[in-house]
C-alpha cells in the first residue's frame, strides 16, 4: 500500500510503500526502519489533492532520489521498492568532509544540531596549538559518522567572522541557540577545545568546593563561563526525548556541566554529584551526557604523537579514534578505550614540552570522565550521536 511517511528525526514527509524495509531521509540522511516512523495512508492525505500538486511532487521526487547527496554513483531509484537494495550499497563513512546537507535547506531545527568551539588564544602567552585540528576532526566525525547536516553545525574559532569568534558573548548566545526549539528525538552536541579553570565556590553547589569554568578568547576582560551557567543554558532546558552530548577537552572539566551523576569506571558504578545546597541541576525530562578530558583537579594536554601535521588534544584524538576503530561500542567501551589510549600517550612522553615544564614537580595524569543527568546502563547502552 502506498503511504506518506514522516522522518522521526527531521519530520520531512516521504512517499513510499509499506513493503520497503527502510527509508533514507533526503533531508537529514538518516536511515530509519519504517516501523519507527509515523506512517499515514496517503489516500487520506490526497482526498483533495492531485499529483499535479507541487508540494506532493516535491515530496515524491525527494523520496525517490536516494543517494543524491551521499554518493553520486547511486543515482536515483526507479521506485521506493529499491530503497533497501540501494542502502546496502552505501560505502562506509570515510574520515573526510562531505556536503552532508543540500543547499537551499534552512538551518531550522532538523533533528540534529551541534556547536563546536575551538579557542587558540592567539598572540597570548597561553596560546594553544591543537584546537583548530580538534575542531576540524570533530566536524568531520559529525558529518560523516553521524550524518549531521553541515548547516546545522555552528563553528566558533578565531579564524571565523566576528559573530563566530569564541568570545564570551558569542559562546553564550550559541549555547542558547543549540537547545532553542529542540523537539523529542533531537540529538544535540556541544564540543569545546580550549582552556578550563576553576574558581572557589561560594554557593555550596560543588562537592569539592570549586566551580569549573571554560575560558572564551576574551576571558581576561569579559570573564569566564561558569559550570552553573552552562547547566542553566543547555542542561535545564532539555525536554523529554532530547539528548545532549557534551565533549569537553579542557583542564578541570570533569563536572563542567554540573550533571548530577559521575561514572566510576574502576568500580563500574554511578556516583552522585548533586549539589550540597540542594539546588536543582536536572533537565526537564531530557538526557545530558558529558565526556570530559580529565577530573576537576587535573589538567588536559596537547600532543604531537598522533600526526606530523601539528598538535591536537589528547582526549579529542583518542575519542575519535576509539569510534573509528569500533563504530559500534558501548559508553563504557568508549570511556575505557579513551582512557587506555591516553595512558599509552603519557607513557610515550609525547606531550607538550611547555606543559612538562609547568608540571615538572607534579605527577602527570589525565583521566577522562563520564557524567550524566540520569543513571543509565553504561555497560550495555550503545554510544551514538
Amino acid at each position: 500500500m502506498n503511504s506518506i511517511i514522516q522522518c522521526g528525526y527531521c519530520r520531512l514527509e516521504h512517499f513510499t510503500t509499506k513493503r520497503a524495509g527502510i527509508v533514507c531521509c533526503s533531508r537529514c540522511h538518516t536511515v530509519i526502519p519504517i516501523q519507527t516512523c509515523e506512517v499515514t495512508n496517503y489516500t487520506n492525505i490526497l482526498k483533495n489533492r492531485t499529483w499535479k500538486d507541487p508540494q506532493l511532487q516535491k515530496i515524491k521526487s525527494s523520496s525517490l532520489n536516494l543517494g543524491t547527496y551521499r554518493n553520486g554513483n547511486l543515482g536515483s531509484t526507479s521506485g521506493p521498492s529499491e530503497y533497501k537494495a540501494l542502502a546496502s550499497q552505501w560505502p562506509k563513512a570515510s574520515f573526510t568532509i562531505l556536503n552532508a546537507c543540500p543547499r537551499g535547506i534552512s538551518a531550522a531545527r532538523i533533528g540534529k544540531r551541534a556547536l563546536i568551539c575551538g579557542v587558540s588564544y592567539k598572540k597570548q602567552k597561553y596560546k594553544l596549538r591543537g584546537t583548530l585540528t580538534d575542531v576540524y576532526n570533530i566536524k568531520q566525525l559529525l558529518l560523516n559518522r553521524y550524518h549531521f547536516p553541515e548547516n546545522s553545525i555552528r563553528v566558533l574559532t578565531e579564524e571565523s567572522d566576528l559573530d563566530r569568534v569564541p568570545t564570551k558573548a558569542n559562546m553564550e548566545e550559541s549555547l542558547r541557540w543549540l537547545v532553542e526549539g529542540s523537539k523529542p528525538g533531537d540529538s544535540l552536541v556541544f564540543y569545546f577545545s580550549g582552556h578550563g579553570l576553576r574558581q572557589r565556590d561560594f554557593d555550596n553547589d560543588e562537592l569539592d568546593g570549586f566551580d569549573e569554568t571554560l575560558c572564551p578568547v576574551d576571558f581576561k576582560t569579559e570573564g569566564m563561563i561558569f559550570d552553573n551557567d552552562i547547566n542553566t543554558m543547555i542542561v535545564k532546558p532539555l525536554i523529554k526525548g532530547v539528548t545532549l552530548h557534551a565533549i569537553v577537552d579542557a583542564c578541570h572539566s570533569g563536572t563542567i556541566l554540573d550533571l548530577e551523576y559521575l561514572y566510576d569506571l574502576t568500580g563500574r558504578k554511578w556516583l552522585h554529584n548533586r549539589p550540597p545546597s540542594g539546588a536543582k541541576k536536572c533537565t526537564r525530562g531530557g538526557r545530558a551526557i558529558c565526556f570530559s578530558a580529565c577530573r576537576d583537579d587535573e589538567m588536559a594536554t596537547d600532543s604531537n604523537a598522533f600526526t606530523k601535521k601539528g598538535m591536537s588534544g589528547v582526549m579529542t584524538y583518542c575519542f575519535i579514534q576509539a569510534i573509528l576503530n569500533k563504530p559500534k561500542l558501548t559508553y563504557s567501551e568508549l570511556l575505557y578505550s579513551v582512557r587506555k589510549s591516553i595512558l599509552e600517550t603519557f607513557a610515550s612522553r609525547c606531550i607538550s614540552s611547555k606543559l612538562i615544564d609547568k608540571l615538572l614537580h607534579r605527577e602527570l595524569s589525565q583521566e577522562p570522565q563520564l557524567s550524566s543527568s540520569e543513571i543509565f546502563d553504561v555497560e550495555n547502552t550503545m554510544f551514538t550521536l
Side-chain angles (χ1 to χ4, degrees):
M1 179 182 293
N2 294 327
S3 302
I4 294 287
I5 70 165
Q6 190 178 65
C7 175
Y9 289 92
C10 70
R11 306 299 178 185
L12 183 67
E13 292 180 331
H14 297 272
F15 175 80
T16 186
T17 62
K18 284 190 176 180
R19 67 175 178 273
I22 58 175
V23 168
C24 170
C25 178
S26 62
R27 174 184 286 173
C28 66
H29 310 293
T30 302
V31 178
I32 308 173
I34 281 184
Q35 57 266 30
T36 67
C37 301
E38 299 174 18
V39 181
T40 307
N41 189 320
Y42 87 102
T43 56
N44 296 328
I45 297 178
L46 301 181
K47 283 183 179 180
N48 300 314
R49 300 162 77 173
T50 70
W51 285 115
K52 294 183 179 180
D53 188 308
Q55 184 176 357
L56 289 178
Q57 288 287 354
K58 182 178 180 181
I59 293 173
K60 182 179 178 181
S61 62
S62 65
S63 64
L64 299 184
N65 289 329
L66 191 67
T68 301
Y69 302 106
R70 301 281 297 184
N71 188 325
N73 296 327
L74 289 180
S76 60
T77 71
S78 59
S81 62
E82 297 183 28
Y83 272 145
K84 191 171 184 179
L86 281 173
S88 65
Q89 300 174 24
W90 285 353
K92 293 184 179 180
S94 60
F95 205 47
T96 56
I97 285 186
L98 297 176
N99 183 12
C101 189
R103 293 182 180 180
I105 294 179
S106 67
R109 171 66 55 189
I110 53 178
K112 295 191 176 188
R113 182 178 287 193
L115 170 62
I116 302 175
C117 297
V119 194
S120 299
Y121 312 94
K122 296 191 301 183
K123 299 181 180 179
Q124 302 185 56
K125 63 181 180 180
Y126 36 82
K127 176 182 177 180
L128 291 175
R129 293 182 288 167
T131 55
L132 286 181
T133 301
D134 294 340
V135 166
Y136 179 82
N137 288 338
I138 285 291
K139 185 176 181 181
Q140 289 186 87
L141 184 75
L142 295 181
L143 286 173
N144 295 279
R145 182 66 69 184
Y146 298 108
H147 311 311
F148 275 64
E150 187 164 10
N151 65 352
S152 73
I153 300 175
R154 179 180 290 192
V155 177
L156 304 186
T157 67
E158 285 146 89
E159 284 68 29
S160 306
D161 296 335
L162 287 178
D163 61 342
R164 292 293 182 264
V165 172
T167 62
K168 182 178 181 181
N170 286 344
M171 283 184 61
E172 290 182 340
E173 187 277 327
S174 294
L175 286 167
R176 296 186 181 95
W177 164 87
L178 180 64
V179 300
E180 182 182 13
S182 55
K183 300 177 182 178
D186 283 356
S187 173
L188 313 177
V189 173
F190 168 54
Y191 174 80
F192 178 85
S193 177
H195 282 305
L197 295 173
R198 61 199 315 225
Q199 299 287 318
R200 179 67 65 181
D201 167 45
F202 297 103
D203 299 322
N204 197 29
D205 279 349
E206 303 286 342
L207 291 175
D208 62 358
F210 289 90
D211 280 315
E212 288 67 48
T213 66
L214 298 181
C215 299
V217 68
D218 58 350
F219 77 96
K220 290 183 69 175
T221 56
E222 300 301 321
M224 296 170 285
I225 301 177
F226 281 70
D227 50 6
N228 297 329
D229 299 324
I230 298 173
N231 182 277
T232 298
M233 287 185 283
I234 64 174
V235 174
K236 289 183 179 180
L238 297 176
I239 63 173
K240 186 175 181 180
V242 178
T243 301
L244 166 73
H245 284 89
I247 306 161
V248 182
D249 199 345
C251 298
H252 312 299
S253 56
T255 60
I256 190 63
L257 263 64
D258 266 357
L259 302 180
E260 295 191 337
Y261 299 96
L262 187 66
Y263 189 70
D264 176 10
L265 184 59
T266 303
R268 295 186 176 183
K269 61 182 179 180
W270 286 100
L271 306 175
H272 88 80
N273 185 50
R274 293 186 290 272
S277 65
K280 297 297 183 181
K281 301 285 186 174
C282 53
T283 70
R284 294 170 55 195
R287 175 183 288 182
I289 299 171
C290 182
F291 283 92
S292 304
C294 56
R295 298 196 309 261
D296 287 340
D297 61 344
E298 292 180 324
M299 298 181 71
T301 61
D302 286 340
S303 176
N304 58 6
F306 313 116
T307 174
K308 297 179 181 179
K309 296 181 180 180
M311 304 288 286
S312 60
V314 172
M315 183 268 191
T316 298
Y317 186 89
C318 295
F319 182 88
I320 293 173
Q321 288 303 308
I323 294 171
L324 295 180
N325 292 335
K326 187 179 181 183
K328 294 183 179 180
L329 74 174
T330 64
Y331 281 85
S332 64
E333 288 174 332
L334 177 55
L335 184 62
Y336 176 80
S337 178
V338 174
R339 182 181 183 183
K340 180 174 180 290
S341 297
I342 289 177
L343 290 175
E344 292 173 350
T345 303
F346 283 169
S348 70
R349 307 303 294 179
C350 294
I351 59 174
S352 170
S353 59
K354 291 184 179 180
L355 185 61
I356 291 179
D357 293 338
K358 293 177 182 178
L359 303 181
L360 192 59
H361 302 292
R362 294 178 54 183
E363 179 183 357
L364 186 62
S365 63
Q366 180 181 337
E367 185 176 348
Q369 302 291 296
L370 173 67
S371 57
S372 176
S373 60
E374 61 185 44
I375 293 175
F376 65 95
D377 187 354
V378 178
E379 302 290 332
N380 297 301
T381 302
M382 304 303 294
F383 172 79
T384 189
L385 296 176

